[in-house]
Amino acid sequence: MLEQHLPLIPDPKSLLLAMAQQRSVDEVLKLVVAELASSQVVALARIWLIRPGAGCQTCRMRSECPDQTNCLHLVASSGTSVVDPDNALNRIDGSFRRFPLGVRKVGRIAVTGEPLEVQNIDGEPEWLANPKWAKDEGIRGFAGQPLVHHGQVLGVLGVFSRTTIGDQCLDWLRMIADHVASAIANAQAWEEIESLRKRLELENDYLQEELRGESFGDMIGQSAALQMVAQQISLVAPTDATVLVTGESGTGKELVAREIHARSSRHARPLIKVNCAAIPRELYESEFFGHTKGSFTGALRDRVGRFELADGGTLFLDEVGEIPLDLQSKLLRVLQEGELERVGEERTRKVNVRIIAATNRNLKDEAETGKFRSDLYYRLSVFPIELPPLRKRKEDIAMLAEHLLGILSRRLGKQPPRLTQANVAELLRYDWPGNIRELQHVLERALITSPKGKLRFDLNSGENTKATTTPSTSISNEPILSASQLRSFESANIRRALQACDGKVYGDKGAAALLGMKPTTLASRIKSLGITLRD
């Protein structure tokens, strides 16, 4: 008779109302098992959800698992023990943290989608996985409810009772299971929508960043050196080969990456850029591979990494030589196997990404001296492309200047000035240590400061620039600096630039523009020289 059965759920209506008020599915699951376990007749309440197989190597039921593809993961647990009152039974990493699908009572519920309701287990000790535990705890009944939404089983709710389970309690458990399944399905749908929205937002941000980025001349020129680069791009672009672009700062390595991607079969998917020099060391894995909510302090939500964003497209690893040596092995694994795990997640994800890397350092020498992993170097340099400095393709300067003046004039809202032969001669006499980026900055300054219609270049005002002198110029009076003195000179020069720009690195009025350097390169030098903005 019903009146002889103590209730499993003290206040079922209040529980259903409280479930509706929870914001996350984790809160719903913990609330349900905690409320059920608050009953004096419930020994244990647990919820398992179907998820991709993980932790198989240490699973006690591995030998019973059909294929280790999917299994039941214990996600919420609560209860009280009469044998050990201090054991709250809320751990989810114990012996039954995983159940293979179709195996034992919980696994069978997940496969069949049918409840297993044993109101009184007297006389059926073999039916239990741990008969001794059931006897010691005084277990009398078990109710296992599938969590089903639109015909799909999402998991299992299991309750062990110290009293015979009445019909009314079973009705309430079925209703609660339906509400839990709906909460899980809604949360999963919302997470998928949010993940897609965030991914699209990130892709849009990267694309907008690309549009705002500097073109560095759009590969303008007819020199033999540039034509060689164009030939190499034409050869490698249709393939999926990994490309290593080398060259001095400001020669246009990022432009080459964009050209390769644009001419590849992946052009419909995004080109994602990672500035390896600008990533804090502790965030490399998160930046590359993503992370799950709560995986570390500050991880307030799931985050998609750059590799997943570039799935099906191209990933551009700029300043790849700045990746810490001890983290290079993790990058190498993804490049070799096409698999990754987000930080804080056991699930392995497949990615199909083409890699283009860039550096202004000699990675081959660094690999030989142990400063860069040799296996990663050879994996990146399948097809190397070396960009010539501007001083070795001076025949392109006039054409580049004309092209850049047109772009800059439109940006500044000015009438494009005439580039005279005298202007060209002046540009040709300069050695351009900052390459195309420096040329762009010199032209922009000239447009801003020169009288209307006349260009005047300021090629000698900054300590970072130096005009090409004639061979007759004597250098015997110039002091020869040691490596330590050069480092001190560079550090002092950067500090002066930062002070002049009020500590600002990026932007038209930043120290990078003043020094004629790429902002990310300057940031890398600031870091390596130990300069702080307080200096």
Side-chain angles (χ1 to χ4, degrees):
M1 296 178 62
L2 294 180
E3 59 271 13
Q4 295 175 333
H5 305 299
L6 294 174
L8 298 184
I9 313 164
D11 192 348
K13 293 182 180 179
S14 295
L15 174 57
L16 293 174
L17 179 61
M19 289 170 60
Q21 295 173 341
Q22 301 305 309
R23 294 184 177 182
S24 72
V25 67
D26 286 342
E27 292 174 346
V28 170
L29 301 180
K30 291 176 182 177
L31 172 69
V32 169
V33 295
E35 184 67 19
L36 289 171
S38 69
S39 170
Q40 61 178 318
V41 299
V42 171
L44 181 63
R46 286 186 160 178
I47 294 176
W48 293 265
L49 296 183
I50 298 177
R51 290 179 174 174
C56 300
Q57 293 77 6
T58 58
C59 180
R60 60 178 290 178
M61 290 186 241
R62 183 180 184 183
S63 60
E64 303 176 62
C65 190
D67 57 12
Q68 286 135 41
T69 302
N70 293 314
C71 63
L72 286 163
H73 292 228
L74 182 61
V75 294
S77 177
S78 188
T80 55
S81 170
V82 294
V83 177
D84 182 8
D86 294 331
N87 185 359
L89 299 177
N90 59 356
R91 292 179 55 185
I92 58 173
D93 59 350
S95 299
F96 297 101
R97 65 184 183 278
R98 301 286 188 271
F99 267 109
L101 297 180
V103 174
R104 305 193 186 184
K105 55 184 179 297
V106 174
R108 289 196 295 272
I109 294 171
V111 168
T112 64
E114 297 292 331
L116 180 58
E117 299 167 344
V118 183
Q119 293 176 285
N120 193 321
I121 65 172
D122 284 347
E124 300 184 67
E126 298 83 5
W127 173 80
L128 292 166
N130 192 340
K132 183 179 184 304
W133 172 81
K135 181 180 179 181
D136 292 343
E137 296 291 344
I139 303 301
R140 297 286 302 280
F142 172 79
Q145 298 293 332
L147 307 176
V148 184
H149 183 76
H150 289 176
Q152 180 184 3
V153 179
L154 307 178
V156 175
L157 165 65
V159 179
F160 291 87
S161 170
R162 293 190 177 95
T163 185
T164 302
I165 303 176
D167 293 335
Q168 188 176 21
C169 287
L170 290 175
D171 289 340
W172 278 116
L173 281 176
R174 295 175 195 129
M175 187 179 300
I176 289 170
D178 288 342
H179 279 73
V180 171
S182 296
I184 295 170
N186 291 338
Q188 289 177 342
W190 178 252
E191 287 173 0
E192 289 177 6
I193 292 171
E194 278 293 286
S195 177
L196 179 60
R197 181 183 65 80
K198 291 170 185 174
R199 178 166 185 160
L200 292 174
E201 283 181 353
L202 284 170
E203 288 185 6
N204 182 62
D205 288 344
Y206 290 129
L207 292 173
Q208 292 295 328
E209 186 177 310
E210 290 292 308
L211 291 174
R212 291 192 297 269
E214 296 172 315
S215 64
F216 307 136
D218 290 333
M219 294 193 70
I220 302 298
Q222 297 179 341
S223 65
L226 189 63
Q227 292 305 311
M228 175 62 74
V229 171
Q231 270 188 345
Q232 290 177 300
I233 291 175
S234 297
L235 286 172
V236 76
T239 74
D240 270 349
T242 302
V243 179
L244 178 62
V245 187
T246 60
E248 296 178 7
S249 178
T251 51
K253 295 185 285 292
E254 184 176 340
L255 173 63
V256 171
R258 289 204 295 267
E259 285 291 323
I260 293 173
H261 176 72
R263 299 185 194 186
S264 74
S265 60
R266 297 170 177 264
H267 65 273
R269 294 293 300 152
L271 168 67
I272 301 300
K273 175 185 174 183
V274 182
N275 180 2
C276 302
I279 303 173
R281 188 186 185 287
E282 62 274 12
L283 294 181
Y284 264 97
E285 289 186 71
S286 172
E287 191 72 20
F288 282 147
F289 313 134
H291 64 250
T292 58
K293 178 181 177 182
S295 56
F296 55 86
T297 303
L300 303 179
R301 62 180 184 179
D302 289 354
R303 186 181 190 277
V304 178
R306 303 293 180 99
F307 270 89
E308 284 188 76
L309 281 173
D311 192 19
T314 304
L315 183 65
F316 177 47
L317 301 176
D318 196 13
E319 307 280 2
V320 70
E322 300 295 333
I323 299 177
L325 189 63
D326 59 329
L327 296 174
Q328 292 173 16
S329 60
K330 297 183 178 180
L331 174 61
L332 179 64
R333 174 180 174 263
V334 180
L335 299 186
Q336 289 177 334
E337 302 177 13
E339 296 179 345
L340 60 85
E341 291 89 30
R342 292 181 182 176
V343 178
E345 184 178 66
E346 294 180 337
R347 173 187 171 188
T348 299
R349 299 170 183 266
K350 288 277 189 181
V351 289
N352 177 9
V353 177
R354 191 215 186 133
I355 300 296
I356 302 176
T359 182
N360 57 11
R361 292 159 56 169
N362 191 326
L363 294 188
K364 184 177 181 181
D365 287 350
E366 294 194 5
E368 291 175 352
T369 58
K371 296 178 181 178
F372 194 87
R373 286 185 65 107
S374 58
D375 47 4
L376 178 57
Y377 165 71
Y378 289 116
R379 183 66 180 79
L380 293 174
S381 60
V382 174
F383 193 95
I385 297 178
E386 183 175 2
L387 299 187
L390 189 55
R391 62 182 174 274
K392 291 187 178 180
R393 45 176 292 217
K394 286 195 172 183
E395 57 267 49
D396 295 334
I397 287 180
M399 193 179 298
L400 271 168
E402 287 280 10
H403 177 74
L404 290 170
L405 282 171
I407 294 174
L408 294 169
S409 296
R410 289 192 294 272
R411 185 187 298 174
L412 297 172
K414 291 178 174 285
Q415 185 70 22
R418 185 171 69 91
L419 189 68
T420 67
Q421 289 186 351
N423 292 147
V424 173
E426 186 178 2
L427 296 176
L428 289 174
R429 286 194 300 270
Y430 188 65
D431 212 26
W432 301 108
N435 295 297
I436 302 172
R437 183 178 297 108
E438 185 182 8
L439 173 63
Q440 179 171 342
H441 293 160
V442 165
L443 294 173
E444 188 168 7
R445 284 196 297 270
L447 281 172
I448 295 171
T449 61
S450 299
K452 185 176 181 181
K454 295 182 180 181
L455 285 174
R456 293 180 179 174
F457 303 127
D458 185 7
L459 294 174
N460 297 296
S461 62
E463 293 182 49
N464 63 301
T465 59
K466 180 180 178 181
T468 303
T469 59
T470 62
S472 60
T473 302
S474 173
I475 63 170
S476 60
N477 295 327
E478 296 293 331
I480 298 175
L481 302 180
S482 67
S484 175
Q485 288 171 322
L486 281 172
R487 185 177 175 88
S488 298
F489 179 87
E490 181 183 13
S491 178
N493 190 51
I494 291 176
R495 284 188 173 91
R496 285 194 293 272
L498 289 169
Q499 290 171 357
C501 299
D502 295 325
K504 183 178 180 182
V505 175
Y506 296 80
D508 294 337
K509 296 182 180 179
L514 182 60
L515 292 167
M517 299 173 67
K518 189 176 181 181
T520 53
T521 302
L522 177 57
S524 176
R525 296 304 300 152
I526 289 173
K527 179 181 177 182
S528 65
L529 291 168
I531 299 171
T532 67
L533 297 183
R534 298 188 301 271
D535 288 348

